[in-house]
Amino acid sequence: VFAVFSLFEFNQILPDYYLPKRLSSDTFWTAFYGNIFSPSRGLLIFSPFLFLFLLNIKDTFNILNDDKTLILFLSWIILHLIVISKFPHWWAGWSYGPRFMTDVLPAIFLLFVIHISYSYREKSSAQKNIISFFLILTFSIAVYFNFAQGLYNKYTSSWNSAPNIDKYPEYLFDWNYPQFFHNQDRHIKRIREHNFKINS
């Protein structure tokens, strides 16, 4: 049905959005890094509790070794990350946070819950307390970034427009003005600095 609709609407079997040309990018490594660590699109920045996978890398390997089917979920996440990093427009335009990674949230959530369960079962009381503190801290940061700032701070949207992020994608890596800390004063200052830079 979708292909028929596309034929009538676009005169081709699939819209341009689904065609292989969307994977023709020469900025793969920049995009790959940006999708993980960018202060405006990085998955680990907006969901810092996922650092648990890296901090407890031994547990991560043990979990995958105990249940090989979970490798399918990990492969889903990695392959998706590779594909979206091949997009020329990998930052998803005027968005907030890792928008293109939302398709793999079910796999991430499943692995994360299994990881926490394993850690609390295998760790000592002191280690469990450290993990609990880490999770409380990182969950609080994630809620602030995604809920408080993402939903209620209008300047996170203005961050994309002035300067236009599609025209100046280098700002995706600007830790001086991260999108999740944007406000009116920082917005005005950023515009002034940008105008000074392009006019000098």
Side-chain angles (χ1 to χ4, degrees):
V1 173
F2 182 68
V4 171
F5 165 78
S6 182
L7 281 171
F8 277 101
E9 186 70 21
F10 306 110
N11 293 318
Q12 56 192 41
I13 293 178
L14 292 173
D16 287 346
Y17 188 87
Y18 295 91
L19 297 181
K21 68 181 181 180
R22 280 182 56 82
L23 302 180
S24 57
S25 169
D26 57 358
T27 59
F28 172 78
W29 290 111
T30 300
F32 189 83
Y33 175 83
N35 280 313
I36 300 173
F37 294 112
S38 163
S40 63
R41 301 293 184 270
L43 177 65
L44 291 181
I45 304 304
F46 284 82
S47 301
F49 51 86
L50 296 179
F51 274 107
L52 185 68
F53 286 114
L54 301 178
L55 297 175
N56 278 337
I57 192 70
K58 184 178 178 181
D59 288 351
T60 303
F61 280 116
N62 288 337
I63 292 167
L64 296 174
N65 189 53
D66 290 345
D67 188 350
K68 299 293 194 301
T69 59
L70 295 178
I71 295 175
L72 292 174
F73 290 91
L74 181 62
S75 300
W76 174 16
I77 297 168
I78 294 172
L79 288 173
H80 182 82
L81 177 61
I82 290 171
V83 169
I84 65 171
S85 296
K86 288 289 290 178
F87 291 174
H89 202 238
W90 61 267
W91 57 92
W94 290 20
S95 62
Y96 178 78
R99 194 188 102 192
F100 280 153
M101 290 297 291
T102 54
D103 292 341
V104 291
L105 286 181
I108 293 172
F109 178 76
L110 175 67
L111 291 177
F112 186 70
V113 169
I114 292 172
H115 198 291
I116 292 176
S117 176
Y118 181 91
S119 295
Y120 276 101
R121 188 174 65 247
E122 301 293 330
K123 300 293 186 183
S124 66
S125 296
Q127 290 173 318
K128 290 176 185 177
N129 290 336
I130 293 173
I131 291 173
S132 296
F133 175 77
F134 173 80
L135 291 177
I136 291 170
L137 176 64
T138 53
F139 271 128
S140 299
I141 293 171
V143 168
Y144 175 72
F145 285 176
N146 294 281
F147 183 71
Q149 294 293 84
L151 282 178
Y152 297 108
N153 181 0
K154 66 178 182 179
Y155 287 98
T156 58
S157 177
S158 300
W159 184 94
N160 287 303
S161 60
N164 187 332
I165 195 61
D166 291 332
K167 188 176 179 181
Y168 300 98
E170 62 270 19
Y171 283 107
L172 293 161
F173 300 95
D174 185 6
W175 281 98
N176 292 319
Y177 296 99
Q179 193 174 9
F180 50 78
F181 280 148
H182 216 48
N183 56 36
Q184 183 177 18
D185 292 338
R186 293 172 65 80
H187 187 64
I188 294 171
K189 184 179 178 183
R190 182 172 180 248
I191 292 173
R192 286 174 180 167
E193 290 184 8
H194 173 75
N195 290 337
F196 176 79
K197 184 166 66 173
I198 63 174
N199 291 325
S200 60

